[in-house]
Amino acid sequence: YFVKRFEDDTNLIAYLALDISESMTYQGSGSPLSKLEFGQALLAALTWLILNQQDAVAIATFDAQVRQALRPTSDVTQTKALLNVYERIQPVGKTRFRESLRELAGRWRKRGLALVVSDFLDDPQPIMAGLSALVAANHDVVVWHVVDRCEADFPFTQPLRMQGLEGWGHRDVEAASIRQAYRREYERHCKALQARCRGMGIEYLRVLTDEPCERPLVRFLHHRMSRLG
């Protein structure tokens, strides 16, 4: 009789994907950071925490395609590499979730935690198609939905000239006349995204850019710990 013995690497690999499309540059009057800056702060803090646990972190940025991707490593220099990636970000394009996340799923072959940070301003179908590729790759998928308070509440009451990001041009609107319809539609979109994520076993966390960035991080870690307990 023979006993087969082996060691397996059980350390966590965290795959962090940040949407750097132009819509992420939006910053409302009550927010200290843009959605992109808020997402960067969240992922930088999470990277530091994961590396201090001697687990591995991989980093990627995407819009219509994957722009930068760093291989997973547990080396503490990954934090500096992350900051270097952020310095080279040029948010000028549109988002294509289906294509970008499918490409990342193909690159991220070893099972891990796949965390996607975005404002998710797109039709639900391509969003879910991209996320489903990560699920199919057996990753534990988490969505951080970054929202500016002005996007959610639409506090405007005066006539506005709205400058569309990602190539949409501008449009003059009577803010007061569309406010209620806009808020209903935006909330409907958020609820649909949340429901579809949960239906696929994807953890969904909505974060607002006018709150301290440590709060959503604490909520996320608390939820993770409660699952283990």
Side-chain angles (χ1 to χ4, degrees):
Y1 294 94
F2 296 89
V3 178
K4 185 176 182 180
R5 304 183 63 183
F6 65 94
E7 292 184 1
D8 190 17
D9 182 6
T10 58
N11 288 346
L12 170 73
I13 301 178
Y15 302 102
L16 310 180
L18 176 64
D19 177 1
I20 61 167
S21 61
E22 192 177 6
S23 67
M24 289 288 285
T25 63
Y26 180 76
Q27 180 178 355
S29 58
S31 299
L33 300 172
S34 70
K35 292 182 289 184
L36 179 59
E37 291 168 336
F38 194 85
Q40 290 173 328
L42 280 174
L43 292 185
L46 185 60
T47 296
W48 184 86
L49 289 172
I50 293 171
L51 292 177
N52 273 271
Q53 293 295 318
Q54 298 183 338
D55 291 320
V57 177
I59 299 156
T61 59
F62 70 95
D63 45 38
Q65 64 188 72
V66 176
R67 295 297 177 181
Q68 298 182 74
L70 302 181
R71 295 170 60 87
T73 179
S74 58
D75 195 301
V76 294
T77 59
Q78 190 78 327
T79 302
K80 183 177 180 180
L82 171 73
L83 298 178
N84 289 335
V85 167
Y86 287 169
E87 288 177 358
R88 295 195 295 270
I89 289 175
Q90 295 181 339
V92 295
K94 298 181 180 181
T95 314
R96 289 193 174 92
F97 290 96
R98 179 188 287 109
E99 293 81 356
S100 297
L101 297 184
R102 282 180 175 175
E103 180 180 345
L104 288 175
R107 295 187 184 201
W108 296 342
R109 297 186 179 278
K110 190 171 183 179
R111 187 181 187 277
L113 171 71
L115 198 152
V116 182
V117 176
S118 173
D119 56 10
F120 294 100
L121 292 177
D122 199 354
D123 293 332
Q125 185 174 355
I127 293 174
M128 300 315 300
L131 293 173
S132 66
L134 296 173
V135 173
N138 293 318
H139 295 304
D140 180 7
V141 182
V142 179
V143 160
W144 277 357
H145 186 185
V146 182
V147 177
D148 189 281
R149 182 76 65 177
C150 287
E151 289 179 321
D153 294 347
F154 201 79
F156 316 107
T157 57
Q158 302 297 321
L160 294 175
R161 168 161 289 191
M162 304 186 74
Q163 181 64 44
L165 301 175
E166 302 188 12
W168 287 100
H170 68 268
R171 181 171 295 180
D172 296 324
V173 299
E174 292 288 340
S177 66
I178 69 168
R179 186 181 184 210
Q180 294 303 319
Y182 169 88
R183 291 175 68 175
R184 285 195 302 269
E185 183 65 19
Y186 189 81
E187 191 61 26
R188 183 200 64 78
H189 173 75
C190 292
K191 287 182 177 179
L193 178 62
Q194 181 179 17
R196 292 191 183 199
C197 283
R198 289 181 174 172
M200 294 178 58
I202 297 172
E203 183 177 346
Y204 173 95
L205 180 63
R206 184 175 174 183
V207 297
L208 291 162
T209 58
D210 62 351
E211 64 177 330
C213 67
E214 65 267 19
R215 288 184 185 175
L217 189 57
V218 169
R219 291 199 302 270
F220 169 70
L221 295 175
H222 177 75
H223 184 256
R224 289 272 133 177
M225 291 300 294
S226 65
R227 287 175 57 181
L228 294 175

